[in-house]
Amino acid sequence: PPDESKPSWVLLSAESAANSITLLAIDVEMIERRSDKLRLPVTAALVRCEIPEGNDAPTTSTLFSGFVDPSSVDAGWASGDAAAWDYKEQFTGFTHADLLARRDAGEMTPLSQLQRRIKDAMHAGAFLVGHGIQCDLRCLRLHGAALRRRVVDTMWIFRTKGGGSAPLKDLVAEMLAEVGDWADFQKG
């Protein structure tokens, strides 16, 4: 369990009544401190899909899409020390200099604001959906009993023929090819 004395952790609960099912899709790109493998979020997306009772069509809305400032967890990320930090450019698509420029331009949202958006979106009929979502939740420093039966991890649902986990990029290519232009998905 997380250390509750750390101010950056947020307890999620889902106590209010629900008249619909809500899917909260989360995707986080992160950097990693080499010494202890601590991961910090630098970009995130949070999309809500409301599935109402009856025959009404689902509605979707983007609750967040952008850069996240992880300084509340460790301000050392900005040091640029390649020996201390893996900036994971192959996944994020951003160099250390790119991230600093976004921070200096005021384009990064504090982690606490993203945590608040997720917490506010949770209710008794809400489910968090993601690919390898346990890593995203840990990186976002979210925890709580509300997650016990409210997490859907596509990495464990959609398996390859050999039984392994399919990369998200492959799942998107296979399942969403006819829905829109996903050719540049996760190109970095």
Side-chain angles (χ1 to χ4, degrees):
D3 182 352
E4 295 292 332
S5 66
K6 305 274 184 188
S8 58
W9 280 94
V10 171
L11 176 67
L12 293 181
S13 61
E15 299 166 2
S16 61
N19 292 328
S20 64
I21 293 175
T22 301
L23 302 178
L24 297 168
I26 297 176
D27 187 37
V28 178
E29 299 302 334
M30 53 199 84
I31 59 176
E32 184 175 82
R33 189 166 54 202
R34 294 182 194 278
S35 64
D36 60 1
K37 306 296 184 200
L38 173 72
R39 293 177 179 169
L40 302 178
V42 291
T43 66
L46 175 64
V47 175
R48 175 176 46 209
C49 178
E50 292 284 343
I51 304 170
E53 290 182 10
N55 294 327
D56 293 334
T59 59
T60 59
S61 57
T62 301
L63 301 179
F64 182 85
S65 180
F67 291 91
V68 180
D69 185 355
S71 297
S72 64
V73 179
D74 188 339
W77 76 270
S79 70
D81 182 356
W85 291 92
D86 179 357
Y87 290 95
K88 300 196 175 287
E89 295 172 27
Q90 72 274 27
F91 300 112
T92 68
F94 299 99
T95 65
H96 171 255
D98 294 335
L99 294 172
L100 283 181
R102 302 292 178 147
R103 184 200 62 184
D104 294 344
E107 296 175 12
M108 285 188 150
T109 299
L111 174 59
S112 61
Q113 286 184 21
L114 176 56
Q115 291 169 323
R116 170 68 54 198
R117 287 184 191 182
I118 296 168
K119 185 175 182 174
D120 290 348
M122 288 295 292
H123 59 76
F127 294 85
L128 295 171
V129 181
H131 196 75
I133 193 169
Q134 74 282 0
C135 292
D136 291 348
L137 293 172
R138 187 175 302 118
C139 181
L140 292 172
R141 305 178 81 74
L142 298 170
H143 71 101
L147 298 176
R148 288 195 183 117
R149 292 195 173 115
R150 303 211 168 278
V151 173
V152 179
D153 194 331
T154 57
M155 189 170 81
W156 294 104
I157 294 172
F158 300 102
R159 310 297 284 180
T160 63
K161 290 179 184 175
S165 61
L168 182 58
K169 184 176 182 175
D170 294 350
L171 288 176
V172 167
E174 179 182 332
M175 297 182 167
L176 298 176
E178 297 176 17
V179 177
D181 184 14
W182 291 90
D184 292 330
F185 181 74
Q186 287 192 335
K187 286 238 174 155

